[in-house]
Amino acid sequence: MTTILWLKAFHVFFMVAWFAGIFYLPRIFVNHAESNEPLVQQHFKGMERRLLYFITPFAIFTVLLGIAIIIQYGYAWFVAAKWLHIKISLVVLLLIYHGYCFKLVNTFAADKNTRSGKFYRFFNEIPVILMLAIIILVYIKPF
C-alpha cells in the first residue's frame, strides 16, 4: 500500500504542476491576441513556447504515474472502476487540448493568429471544467 500512496502523491504533484501551466498558457494567448505592439508580441511568443515545453514533461509524468497506479491496483480493480474509465476519457481530452496548444503556439509564432482574446478566454475554461470533472470522479466515484 505504501507504493500506491507514493505513486498517488507524485501523480497529484505532477497533475497540479501541469494544470498550473495549462491554466496560464491560454491567458498568455489572450494577451498576445489583444496586443498590437511587435516587441510585446515577440515577448509573448517566447513565453508561450517556454511554458508549453516546460509543462509537457509534467503531463507525461502525470500519465505515466496514473498508469503505474492502475498497474499497482490490478486488472480486476481497473475493470470494476467505471469512474476511472470516464476519468481516462477526460484525461485524453486534456491531452488533445495540450496538443492543440502546440498548434496555437506555432500559429502565434508565425504571426498567423486570427482569433480574438475573447476566444482564448473561453478556450481557457476547458481545462478548468475538465479538472473539476476529474476531481469529482476521483473523490466521489459516482460510477
Side-chain angles (χ1 to χ4, degrees), residues 18 29 46 49 52-53 70 75 82 87 115 127-128:
W18 179 22
F29 293 157
R49 184 181 44 77
L52 185 55
Y53 282 95
I70 292 169
Y75 181 75
K82 301 301 180 205
K87 175 194 172 187
R115 295 199 169 110
V128 175

Side-chain angles (χ1 to χ4, degrees), residues 38-89:
L39 287 175
V40 173
Q41 289 179 342
Q42 281 303 116
H43 184 68
F44 286 137
K45 288 177 187 180
M47 289 175 66
E48 292 158 356
R49 184 181 44 77
R50 286 188 303 271
L51 179 59
L52 185 55
Y53 282 95
F54 179 73
I55 65 171
T56 297
F58 299 148
I60 293 166
F61 284 124
T62 300
V63 171
L64 292 176
L65 287 162
I67 292 168
I69 292 166
I70 292 169
I71 291 168
Q72 285 291 311
Y73 273 110
Y75 181 75
W77 173 82
F78 175 73
V79 170
K82 301 301 180 205
W83 63 269
L84 181 59
H85 302 161
I86 298 167
K87 175 194 172 187
I88 291 169
S89 298

Side-chain angles (χ1 to χ4, degrees), residues 60-140:
I60 293 166
F61 284 124
T62 300
V63 171
L64 292 176
L65 287 162
I67 292 168
I69 292 166
I70 292 169
I71 291 168
Q72 285 291 311
Y73 273 110
Y75 181 75
W77 173 82
F78 175 73
V79 170
K82 301 301 180 205
W83 63 269
L84 181 59
H85 302 161
I86 298 167
K87 175 194 172 187
I88 291 169
S89 298
L90 295 176
V91 170
V92 167
L93 288 176
L94 187 62
L95 290 167
I96 291 168
Y97 179 95
H98 187 108
Y100 187 66
C101 286
F102 277 98
K103 181 197 178 301
L104 294 174
V105 165
N106 290 331
T107 298
F108 276 112
D111 294 320
K112 294 185 178 179
N113 177 57
T114 58
R115 295 199 169 110
S116 68
K118 187 175 183 177
F119 169 83
Y120 293 108
R121 282 185 177 86
F122 284 110
F123 182 72
N124 190 45
E125 300 308 318
I126 294 169
V128 175
I129 293 164
L130 289 173
M131 184 176 77
L132 175 62
I134 289 167
I135 288 173
I136 289 170
L137 286 166
V138 169
Y139 287 97
I140 306 299

